[in-house]
Amino acid sequence: MPLFDMPLDQLRTYTSSAVEPEDFDAFWDQTTADAREFPLDAVYAPVENHLSVIESFDVSFAGFGGARIKGWLHLPANRDTGRALPVVVQYIGYSGGRGLVQQDTKWAQAGYAHFIMDTRGQGYGGILGQTADPHPSAGEVSYAGLTTRGISSREDYYYRRVYVDAFRAIEAAQGHSEVDAAKVLLVGLSQGGGLAIAAAGLAAGRLDGILATMADVPFLQDFPRAIDIAPRGPYTEIAGFLARHRDRYEPMLAVLNYFDGVHLGRRATAPALFSVAQMDDVCPPSTVFAAYNAYGAGAAATPGAVPAKAMEVYRFNNHEGGQEHHWVSQLRYVADLLAC
C-alpha cells in the first residue's frame, strides 16, 4: 500500500472537521450516571490456564444496562504477596473478543496485572468472544455491520453501550484486591485504541487512577474524514450503508458526533502514547492524527493540566502498525512513567 494520505508535516497540524454537539457533556454525564445505577458486581473466578507463571481469573461485571460483560484478569504468579500491582486494561480490535484464557498474557509476563475486556456482540472474527449484546437493537448474534447498528439514535447506537462497558471495565479492574487502583494504564489497537481513548475521556472528572492511555492506530476517530477516504473496512461499512441510504448522511453524522474519539479524547487528562502507520488504509493516518492533536486539549483551561503525549510513526506499515517493536516502546514508556 503506498502513502495515500497527507504528508507527515501536514498530519502533525491536521484537525478534524467533526462538530462537537452542544450537549455532548450532558449526554455522557447522564449515560455514565445511568450505568452506575447498576451495581458493578465484579466477579473474579480463578480459572486453569495451564501456564506456570501466570494466574488467571474469569471476570464478569455489569456494563451498559447492567448486562454482564466478560473479561480476563491475569496476574504474575511470582508477585509479592500484599503488594498491589499497576494494571493494564486492554481493549480488543474490531470483530475480536477476549480470546482463550492463555492467548494473551504479555502484560502479566512483564509484571503487571493485565485485564482484558471482552467486547459485547463481537468475537466473530480472528479472536473468540463470549459476550452477547442483549440490547433490542442488536440481539445476540455476532456479525459484521456493528458501526451502523442502532445508528438512528444516539441512545441506541452500538458504541454507546461499548464505551460504557469500557468505562466500567476500569472500575472492575480497580476492584480486585491485588490491583493498585491508582495505577491504571489503558491500551488497545485499532478499535481497542479507540476504546482506550473513549475510556480515558469518560474517566476524566468521573474516575481517578488513570496514569496513561496507549492508543495504537486507533479506530472510531474523525468520522467525517474516515468515511470519505478509508478504502478498507470497518469505516467502509458506514460508506456502504450511505450508498444505499442516500438521505441519511447528515442525520448519521449528527449521531456519530457523540461518539467521535476526537471529542472524547479532548477531555482526557492522562498522558498518552499514540502510534500511527502511514500506509494504514483501515484507520487512515489523518484520522489518527486528528485524535492525537485533539487529545487532552480540553484540559488547556486548567493551568498545568494539559497531558504530555507522544506519537510513534511507522512510515512503511499498514494497519498492523509497529507490532512487537511498538510493544518494546510501550514497555519502556510504562516503566518510565511508573518510575516518576
mmCIF file of all heavy atoms in Angstrom, residues 145-187:
data_model
loop_
_atom_site.group_PDB
_atom_site.id
_atom_site.type_symbol
_atom_site.label_atom_id
_atom_site.label_comp_id
_atom_site.label_asym_id
_atom_site.label_seq_id
_atom_site.Cartn_x
_atom_site.Cartn_y
_atom_site.Cartn_z
ATOM 1 N N GLY A 145 -21.054 -5.240 10.591
ATOM 2 C CA GLY A 145 -22.023 -4.165 10.472
ATOM 3 C C GLY A 145 -22.266 -3.421 11.760
ATOM 4 O O GLY A 145 -23.213 -2.647 11.880
ATOM 5 N N LEU A 146 -21.391 -3.616 12.742
ATOM 6 C CA LEU A 146 -21.584 -3.014 14.054
ATOM 7 C C LEU A 146 -21.496 -1.488 14.013
ATOM 8 O O LEU A 146 -22.103 -0.811 14.837
ATOM 9 C CB LEU A 146 -20.537 -3.563 15.028
ATOM 10 C CG LEU A 146 -20.663 -5.055 15.327
ATOM 11 C CD1 LEU A 146 -19.342 -5.615 15.806
ATOM 12 C CD2 LEU A 146 -21.739 -5.295 16.370
ATOM 13 N N THR A 147 -20.771 -0.945 13.055
ATOM 14 C CA THR A 147 -20.588 0.504 13.015
ATOM 15 C C THR A 147 -21.880 1.236 12.677
ATOM 16 O O THR A 147 -21.984 2.446 12.916
ATOM 17 C CB THR A 147 -19.519 0.895 11.980
ATOM 18 O OG1 THR A 147 -19.895 0.382 10.703
ATOM 19 C CG2 THR A 147 -18.163 0.372 12.380
ATOM 20 N N THR A 148 -22.864 0.548 12.113
ATOM 21 C CA THR A 148 -24.141 1.192 11.786
ATOM 22 C C THR A 148 -25.292 0.656 12.632
ATOM 23 O O THR A 148 -26.434 1.053 12.432
ATOM 24 C CB THR A 148 -24.489 0.999 10.298
ATOM 25 O OG1 THR A 148 -24.585 -0.398 10.000
ATOM 26 C CG2 THR A 148 -23.426 1.632 9.403
ATOM 27 N N ARG A 149 -25.001 -0.201 13.577
ATOM 28 C CA ARG A 149 -26.069 -0.796 14.379
ATOM 29 C C ARG A 149 -26.641 0.246 15.343
ATOM 30 O O ARG A 149 -25.925 0.834 16.135
ATOM 31 C CB ARG A 149 -25.549 -1.997 15.151
ATOM 32 C CG ARG A 149 -26.643 -2.823 15.798
ATOM 33 C CD ARG A 149 -26.106 -4.156 16.271
ATOM 34 N NE ARG A 149 -25.572 -4.943 15.168
ATOM 35 C CZ ARG A 149 -24.835 -6.050 15.325
ATOM 36 N NH1 ARG A 149 -24.532 -6.458 16.533
ATOM 37 N NH2 ARG A 149 -24.399 -6.706 14.277
ATOM 38 N N GLY A 150 -27.940 0.472 15.256
ATOM 39 C CA GLY A 150 -28.600 1.453 16.106
ATOM 40 C C GLY A 150 -28.284 2.889 15.741
ATOM 41 O O GLY A 150 -28.503 3.797 16.551
ATOM 42 N N ILE A 151 -27.813 3.133 14.521
ATOM 43 C CA ILE A 151 -27.320 4.447 14.115
ATOM 44 C C ILE A 151 -28.418 5.495 14.027
ATOM 45 O O ILE A 151 -28.145 6.691 13.928
ATOM 46 C CB ILE A 151 -26.559 4.336 12.771
ATOM 47 C CG1 ILE A 151 -25.723 5.604 12.481
ATOM 48 C CG2 ILE A 151 -27.555 4.077 11.623
ATOM 49 C CD1 ILE A 151 -24.651 5.855 13.464
ATOM 50 N N SER A 152 -29.669 5.096 14.118
ATOM 51 C CA SER A 152 -30.762 6.063 14.006
ATOM 52 C C SER A 152 -30.854 6.991 15.203
ATOM 53 O O SER A 152 -31.466 8.061 15.115
ATOM 54 C CB SER A 152 -32.106 5.337 13.826
ATOM 55 O OG SER A 152 -32.133 4.634 12.600
ATOM 56 N N SER A 153 -30.293 6.592 16.333
ATOM 57 C CA SER A 153 -30.363 7.460 17.506
ATOM 58 C C SER A 153 -29.110 7.302 18.358
ATOM 59 O O SER A 153 -28.525 6.228 18.430
ATOM 60 C CB SER A 153 -31.604 7.144 18.347
ATOM 61 O OG SER A 153 -31.408 5.992 19.134
ATOM 62 N N ARG A 154 -28.749 8.378 19.037
ATOM 63 C CA ARG A 154 -27.585 8.328 19.913
ATOM 64 C C ARG A 154 -27.834 7.395 21.094
ATOM 65 O O ARG A 154 -26.903 6.790 21.633
ATOM 66 C CB ARG A 154 -27.225 9.725 20.409
ATOM 67 C CG ARG A 154 -28.313 10.379 21.242
ATOM 68 C CD ARG A 154 -27.975 11.786 21.667
ATOM 69 N NE ARG A 154 -28.951 12.281 22.638
ATOM 70 C CZ ARG A 154 -28.860 13.438 23.269
ATOM 71 N NH1 ARG A 154 -27.828 14.232 23.026
ATOM 72 N NH2 ARG A 154 -29.770 13.807 24.133
ATOM 73 N N GLU A 155 -29.077 7.262 21.520
ATOM 74 C CA GLU A 155 -29.398 6.392 22.648
ATOM 75 C C GLU A 155 -29.206 4.920 22.305
ATOM 76 O O GLU A 155 -28.800 4.127 23.155
ATOM 77 C CB GLU A 155 -30.839 6.625 23.114
ATOM 78 C CG GLU A 155 -31.057 7.915 23.883
ATOM 79 C CD GLU A 155 -31.111 9.142 22.982
ATOM 80 O OE1 GLU A 155 -31.304 8.975 21.738
ATOM 81 O OE2 GLU A 155 -30.953 10.261 23.491
ATOM 82 N N ASP A 156 -29.487 4.539 21.070
ATOM 83 C CA ASP A 156 -29.431 3.135 20.679
ATOM 84 C C ASP A 156 -28.150 2.758 19.951
ATOM 85 O O ASP A 156 -27.953 1.571 19.634
ATOM 86 C CB ASP A 156 -30.621 2.788 19.777
ATOM 87 C CG ASP A 156 -31.936 2.775 20.526
ATOM 88 O OD1 ASP A 156 -31.919 2.611 21.757
ATOM 89 O OD2 ASP A 156 -32.992 2.946 19.876
ATOM 90 N N TYR A 157 -27.289 3.721 19.655
ATOM 91 C CA TYR A 157 -26.100 3.395 18.872
ATOM 92 C C TYR A 157 -25.223 2.393 19.611
ATOM 93 O O TYR A 157 -24.992 2.500 20.822
ATOM 94 C CB TYR A 157 -25.308 4.663 18.542
ATOM 95 C CG TYR A 157 -24.170 4.418 17.573
ATOM 96 C CD1 TYR A 157 -24.355 3.673 16.409
ATOM 97 C CD2 TYR A 157 -22.901 4.921 17.821
ATOM 98 C CE1 TYR A 157 -23.316 3.454 15.520
ATOM 99 C CE2 TYR A 157 -21.850 4.711 16.937
ATOM 100 C CZ TYR A 157 -22.067 3.964 15.790
ATOM 101 O OH TYR A 157 -21.024 3.735 14.914
ATOM 102 N N TYR A 158 -24.746 1.426 18.867
ATOM 103 C CA TYR A 158 -23.961 0.322 19.437
ATOM 104 C C TYR A 158 -22.812 0.812 20.308
ATOM 105 O O TYR A 158 -22.561 0.287 21.405
ATOM 106 C CB TYR A 158 -23.436 -0.542 18.285
ATOM 107 C CG TYR A 158 -22.427 -1.583 18.700
ATOM 108 C CD1 TYR A 158 -22.819 -2.729 19.388
ATOM 109 C CD2 TYR A 158 -21.075 -1.428 18.393
ATOM 110 C CE1 TYR A 158 -21.889 -3.696 19.762
ATOM 111 C CE2 TYR A 158 -20.141 -2.384 18.760
ATOM 112 C CZ TYR A 158 -20.550 -3.514 19.449
ATOM 113 O OH TYR A 158 -19.632 -4.450 19.822
ATOM 114 N N TYR A 159 -22.056 1.813 19.853
ATOM 115 C CA TYR A 159 -20.864 2.208 20.599
ATOM 116 C C TYR A 159 -21.188 2.971 21.878
ATOM 117 O O TYR A 159 -20.305 3.116 22.743
ATOM 118 C CB TYR A 159 -19.894 2.972 19.698
ATOM 119 C CG TYR A 159 -19.065 2.006 18.879
ATOM 120 C CD1 TYR A 159 -19.331 1.782 17.534
ATOM 121 C CD2 TYR A 159 -18.052 1.255 19.479
ATOM 122 C CE1 TYR A 159 -18.601 0.865 16.803
ATOM 123 C CE2 TYR A 159 -17.314 0.330 18.758
ATOM 124 C CZ TYR A 159 -17.590 0.139 17.422
ATOM 125 O OH TYR A 159 -16.876 -0.794 16.707
ATOM 126 N N ARG A 160 -22.401 3.427 22.050
ATOM 127 C CA ARG A 160 -22.763 3.962 23.368
ATOM 128 C C ARG A 160 -22.630 2.858 24.418
ATOM 129 O O ARG A 160 -22.105 3.079 25.512
ATOM 130 C CB ARG A 160 -24.193 4.505 23.341
ATOM 131 C CG ARG A 160 -24.629 5.117 24.677
ATOM 132 C CD ARG A 160 -26.056 5.606 24.612
ATOM 133 N NE ARG A 160 -26.462 6.262 25.844
ATOM 134 C CZ ARG A 160 -27.633 6.073 26.439
ATOM 135 N NH1 ARG A 160 -28.530 5.245 25.902
ATOM 136 N NH2 ARG A 160 -27.938 6.705 27.557
ATOM 137 N N ARG A 161 -23.083 1.689 24.073
ATOM 138 C CA ARG A 161 -23.016 0.564 25.004
ATOM 139 C C ARG A 161 -21.561 0.134 25.235
ATOM 140 O O ARG A 161 -21.144 -0.116 26.368
ATOM 141 C CB ARG A 161 -23.851 -0.606 24.469
ATOM 142 C CG ARG A 161 -25.295 -0.222 24.193
ATOM 143 C CD ARG A 161 -26.190 -1.402 23.911
ATOM 144 N NE ARG A 161 -25.987 -2.061 22.634
ATOM 145 C CZ ARG A 161 -26.491 -1.624 21.469
ATOM 146 N NH1 ARG A 161 -27.167 -0.485 21.416
ATOM 147 N NH2 ARG A 161 -26.310 -2.305 20.356
ATOM 148 N N VAL A 162 -20.795 0.051 24.158
ATOM 149 C CA VAL A 162 -19.417 -0.431 24.278
ATOM 150 C C VAL A 162 -18.543 0.576 25.035
ATOM 151 O O VAL A 162 -17.689 0.183 25.838
ATOM 152 C CB VAL A 162 -18.825 -0.743 22.896
ATOM 153 C CG1 VAL A 162 -17.382 -1.230 23.015
ATOM 154 C CG2 VAL A 162 -19.657 -1.812 22.191
ATOM 155 N N TYR A 163 -18.751 1.877 24.806
ATOM 156 C CA TYR A 163 -17.970 2.878 25.529
ATOM 157 C C TYR A 163 -18.261 2.798 27.026
ATOM 158 O O TYR A 163 -17.345 2.938 27.858
ATOM 159 C CB TYR A 163 -18.292 4.282 25.019
ATOM 160 C CG TYR A 163 -17.684 4.641 23.678
ATOM 161 C CD1 TYR A 163 -16.959 3.718 22.928
ATOM 162 C CD2 TYR A 163 -17.849 5.911 23.140
ATOM 163 C CE1 TYR A 163 -16.420 4.054 21.705
ATOM 164 C CE2 TYR A 163 -17.306 6.264 21.912
ATOM 165 C CZ TYR A 163 -16.596 5.331 21.197
ATOM 166 O OH TYR A 163 -16.051 5.673 19.980
ATOM 167 N N VAL A 164 -19.522 2.587 27.382
ATOM 168 C CA VAL A 164 -19.854 2.429 28.799
ATOM 169 C C VAL A 164 -19.208 1.163 29.357
ATOM 170 O O VAL A 164 -18.661 1.169 30.475
ATOM 171 C CB VAL A 164 -21.377 2.404 29.011
ATOM 172 C CG1 VAL A 164 -21.732 1.927 30.417
ATOM 173 C CG2 VAL A 164 -21.964 3.795 28.780
ATOM 174 N N ASP A 165 -19.245 0.079 28.601
ATOM 175 C CA ASP A 165 -18.571 -1.150 29.042
ATOM 176 C C ASP A 165 -17.094 -0.880 29.309
ATOM 177 O O ASP A 165 -16.524 -1.352 30.307
ATOM 178 C CB ASP A 165 -18.685 -2.240 27.972
ATOM 179 C CG ASP A 165 -20.108 -2.711 27.718
ATOM 180 O OD1 ASP A 165 -20.992 -2.428 28.542
ATOM 181 O OD2 ASP A 165 -20.321 -3.365 26.670
ATOM 182 N N ALA A 166 -16.446 -0.123 28.412
ATOM 183 C CA ALA A 166 -15.014 0.180 28.561
ATOM 184 C C ALA A 166 -14.751 1.004 29.814
ATOM 185 O O ALA A 166 -13.749 0.801 30.518
ATOM 186 C CB ALA A 166 -14.509 0.922 27.321
ATOM 187 N N PHE A 167 -15.628 1.950 30.098
ATOM 188 C CA PHE A 167 -15.522 2.769 31.303
ATOM 189 C C PHE A 167 -15.671 1.911 32.555
ATOM 190 O O PHE A 167 -14.875 1.994 33.491
ATOM 191 C CB PHE A 167 -16.604 3.849 31.248
ATOM 192 C CG PHE A 167 -16.734 4.689 32.489
ATOM 193 C CD1 PHE A 167 -15.800 5.661 32.794
ATOM 194 C CD2 PHE A 167 -17.809 4.518 33.343
ATOM 195 C CE1 PHE A 167 -15.936 6.452 33.935
ATOM 196 C CE2 PHE A 167 -17.958 5.292 34.482
ATOM 197 C CZ PHE A 167 -17.016 6.270 34.775
ATOM 198 N N ARG A 168 -16.661 1.038 32.568
ATOM 199 C CA ARG A 168 -16.904 0.190 33.735
ATOM 200 C C ARG A 168 -15.839 -0.898 33.889
ATOM 201 O O ARG A 168 -15.597 -1.394 34.990
ATOM 202 C CB ARG A 168 -18.296 -0.419 33.669
ATOM 203 C CG ARG A 168 -19.407 0.612 33.627
ATOM 204 C CD ARG A 168 -20.544 0.275 34.557
ATOM 205 N NE ARG A 168 -20.283 0.666 35.929
ATOM 206 C CZ ARG A 168 -21.056 0.326 36.967
ATOM 207 N NH1 ARG A 168 -22.134 -0.442 36.749
ATOM 208 N NH2 ARG A 168 -20.775 0.714 38.189
ATOM 209 N N ALA A 169 -15.189 -1.262 32.781
ATOM 210 C CA ALA A 169 -14.097 -2.233 32.860
ATOM 211 C C ALA A 169 -12.964 -1.682 33.719
ATOM 212 O O ALA A 169 -12.295 -2.440 34.436
ATOM 213 C CB ALA A 169 -13.582 -2.579 31.465
ATOM 214 N N ILE A 170 -12.743 -0.381 33.661
ATOM 215 C CA ILE A 170 -11.725 0.226 34.525
ATOM 216 C C ILE A 170 -12.105 0.021 35.987
ATOM 217 O O ILE A 170 -11.287 -0.387 36.819
ATOM 218 C CB ILE A 170 -11.575 1.725 34.223
ATOM 219 C CG1 ILE A 170 -11.165 1.944 32.773
ATOM 220 C CG2 ILE A 170 -10.547 2.354 35.171
ATOM 221 C CD1 ILE A 170 -11.212 3.412 32.345
ATOM 222 N N GLU A 171 -13.351 0.284 36.302
ATOM 223 C CA GLU A 171 -13.825 0.105 37.677
ATOM 224 C C GLU A 171 -13.697 -1.355 38.106
ATOM 225 O O GLU A 171 -13.342 -1.646 39.257
ATOM 226 C CB GLU A 171 -15.280 0.560 37.796
ATOM 227 C CG GLU A 171 -15.478 2.045 37.523
ATOM 228 C CD GLU A 171 -16.924 2.474 37.637
ATOM 229 O OE1 GLU A 171 -17.768 1.889 36.927
ATOM 230 O OE2 GLU A 171 -17.221 3.381 38.422
ATOM 231 N N ALA A 172 -14.001 -2.264 37.184
ATOM 232 C CA ALA A 172 -13.888 -3.693 37.512
ATOM 233 C C ALA A 172 -12.436 -4.074 37.773
ATOM 234 O O ALA A 172 -12.132 -4.831 38.706
ATOM 235 C CB ALA A 172 -14.472 -4.537 36.385
ATOM 236 N N ALA A 173 -11.521 -3.572 36.960
ATOM 237 C CA ALA A 173 -10.097 -3.860 37.169
ATOM 238 C C ALA A 173 -9.624 -3.287 38.500
ATOM 239 O O ALA A 173 -8.864 -3.931 39.239
ATOM 240 C CB ALA A 173 -9.277 -3.286 36.018
ATOM 241 N N GLN A 174 -10.060 -2.081 38.820
ATOM 242 C CA GLN A 174 -9.642 -1.440 40.069
ATOM 243 C C GLN A 174 -10.178 -2.159 41.299
ATOM 244 O O GLN A 174 -9.616 -2.026 42.390
ATOM 245 C CB GLN A 174 -10.113 0.021 40.094
ATOM 246 C CG GLN A 174 -9.393 0.925 39.124
ATOM 247 C CD GLN A 174 -9.961 2.325 39.112
ATOM 248 O OE1 GLN A 174 -11.182 2.511 39.073
ATOM 249 N NE2 GLN A 174 -9.105 3.334 39.139
ATOM 250 N N GLY A 175 -11.246 -2.918 41.123
ATOM 251 C CA GLY A 175 -11.888 -3.545 42.267
ATOM 252 C C GLY A 175 -11.204 -4.787 42.796
ATOM 253 O O GLY A 175 -11.540 -5.255 43.892
ATOM 254 N N HIS A 176 -10.250 -5.336 42.058
ATOM 255 C CA HIS A 176 -9.577 -6.542 42.534
ATOM 256 C C HIS A 176 -8.581 -6.179 43.633
ATOM 257 O O HIS A 176 -7.867 -5.169 43.551
ATOM 258 C CB HIS A 176 -8.857 -7.246 41.388
ATOM 259 C CG HIS A 176 -8.390 -8.622 41.742
ATOM 260 N ND1 HIS A 176 -7.182 -8.856 42.349
ATOM 261 C CD2 HIS A 176 -8.992 -9.838 41.592
ATOM 262 C CE1 HIS A 176 -7.040 -10.153 42.550
ATOM 263 N NE2 HIS A 176 -8.131 -10.772 42.096
ATOM 264 N N SER A 177 -8.502 -7.011 44.653
ATOM 265 C CA SER A 177 -7.693 -6.704 45.839
ATOM 266 C C SER A 177 -6.201 -6.599 45.558
ATOM 267 O O SER A 177 -5.465 -5.962 46.319
ATOM 268 C CB SER A 177 -7.933 -7.764 46.923
ATOM 269 O OG SER A 177 -7.538 -9.051 46.452
ATOM 270 N N GLU A 178 -5.728 -7.198 44.470
ATOM 271 C CA GLU A 178 -4.290 -7.170 44.181
ATOM 272 C C GLU A 178 -3.926 -6.154 43.093
ATOM 273 O O GLU A 178 -2.821 -6.170 42.568
ATOM 274 C CB GLU A 178 -3.807 -8.566 43.802
ATOM 275 C CG GLU A 178 -3.947 -9.565 44.951
ATOM 276 C CD GLU A 178 -3.232 -10.860 44.683
ATOM 277 O OE1 GLU A 178 -1.985 -10.853 44.623
ATOM 278 O OE2 GLU A 178 -3.926 -11.893 44.529
ATOM 279 N N VAL A 179 -4.868 -5.285 42.788
ATOM 280 C CA VAL A 179 -4.643 -4.231 41.799
ATOM 281 C C VAL A 179 -4.513 -2.894 42.507
ATOM 282 O O VAL A 179 -5.277 -2.582 43.425
ATOM 283 C CB VAL A 179 -5.805 -4.195 40.779
ATOM 284 C CG1 VAL A 179 -5.816 -2.871 40.009
ATOM 285 C CG2 VAL A 179 -5.697 -5.363 39.814
ATOM 286 N N ASP A 180 -3.546 -2.099 42.076
ATOM 287 C CA ASP A 180 -3.385 -0.743 42.582
ATOM 288 C C ASP A 180 -4.322 0.167 41.785
ATOM 289 O O ASP A 180 -4.056 0.496 40.626
ATOM 290 C CB ASP A 180 -1.931 -0.288 42.419
ATOM 291 C CG ASP A 180 -1.651 1.049 43.089
ATOM 292 O OD1 ASP A 180 -2.605 1.824 43.311
ATOM 293 O OD2 ASP A 180 -0.470 1.334 43.378
ATOM 294 N N ALA A 181 -5.412 0.564 42.410
ATOM 295 C CA ALA A 181 -6.445 1.343 41.729
ATOM 296 C C ALA A 181 -5.956 2.717 41.297
ATOM 297 O O ALA A 181 -6.597 3.371 40.463
ATOM 298 C CB ALA A 181 -7.663 1.492 42.630
ATOM 299 N N ALA A 182 -4.831 3.161 41.822
ATOM 300 C CA ALA A 182 -4.281 4.464 41.464
ATOM 301 C C ALA A 182 -3.274 4.376 40.319
ATOM 302 O O ALA A 182 -2.693 5.398 39.936
ATOM 303 C CB ALA A 182 -3.613 5.100 42.681
ATOM 304 N N LYS A 183 -3.083 3.166 39.765
ATOM 305 C CA LYS A 183 -2.104 2.988 38.687
ATOM 306 C C LYS A 183 -2.713 2.148 37.568
ATOM 307 O O LYS A 183 -2.446 0.958 37.429
ATOM 308 C CB LYS A 183 -0.831 2.327 39.227
ATOM 309 C CG LYS A 183 -0.099 3.199 40.255
ATOM 310 C CD LYS A 183 1.144 2.506 40.795
ATOM 311 C CE LYS A 183 1.859 3.396 41.814
ATOM 312 N NZ LYS A 183 3.052 2.721 42.388
ATOM 313 N N VAL A 184 -3.559 2.802 36.773
ATOM 314 C CA VAL A 184 -4.271 2.144 35.683
ATOM 315 C C VAL A 184 -3.757 2.672 34.358
ATOM 316 O O VAL A 184 -3.648 3.890 34.148
ATOM 317 C CB VAL A 184 -5.788 2.387 35.783
ATOM 318 C CG1 VAL A 184 -6.520 1.689 34.635
ATOM 319 C CG2 VAL A 184 -6.322 1.911 37.130
ATOM 320 N N LEU A 185 -3.450 1.753 33.446
ATOM 321 C CA LEU A 185 -2.997 2.113 32.105
ATOM 322 C C LEU A 185 -3.971 1.520 31.095
ATOM 323 O O LEU A 185 -4.316 0.341 31.176
ATOM 324 C CB LEU A 185 -1.586 1.585 31.862
ATOM 325 C CG LEU A 185 -0.582 2.079 32.910
ATOM 326 C CD1 LEU A 185 0.069 0.909 33.622
ATOM 327 C CD2 LEU A 185 0.465 2.973 32.283
ATOM 328 N N LEU A 186 -4.426 2.329 30.156
ATOM 329 C CA LEU A 186 -5.392 1.898 29.153
ATOM 330 C C LEU A 186 -4.665 1.659 27.839
ATOM 331 O O LEU A 186 -3.879 2.498 27.388
ATOM 332 C CB LEU A 186 -6.470 2.967 28.969
ATOM 333 C CG LEU A 186 -7.148 3.480 30.246
ATOM 334 C CD1 LEU A 186 -8.163 4.566 29.905
ATOM 335 C CD2 LEU A 186 -7.810 2.339 31.008
ATOM 336 N N VAL A 187 -4.938 0.521 27.211
ATOM 337 C CA VAL A 187 -4.207 0.168 25.995
ATOM 338 C C VAL A 187 -5.130 -0.527 25.000
ATOM 339 O O VAL A 187 -6.079 -1.213 25.388
ATOM 340 C CB VAL A 187 -2.997 -0.744 26.337
ATOM 341 C CG1 VAL A 187 -3.444 -2.087 26.879
ATOM 342 C CG2 VAL A 187 -2.090 -0.943 25.130
#
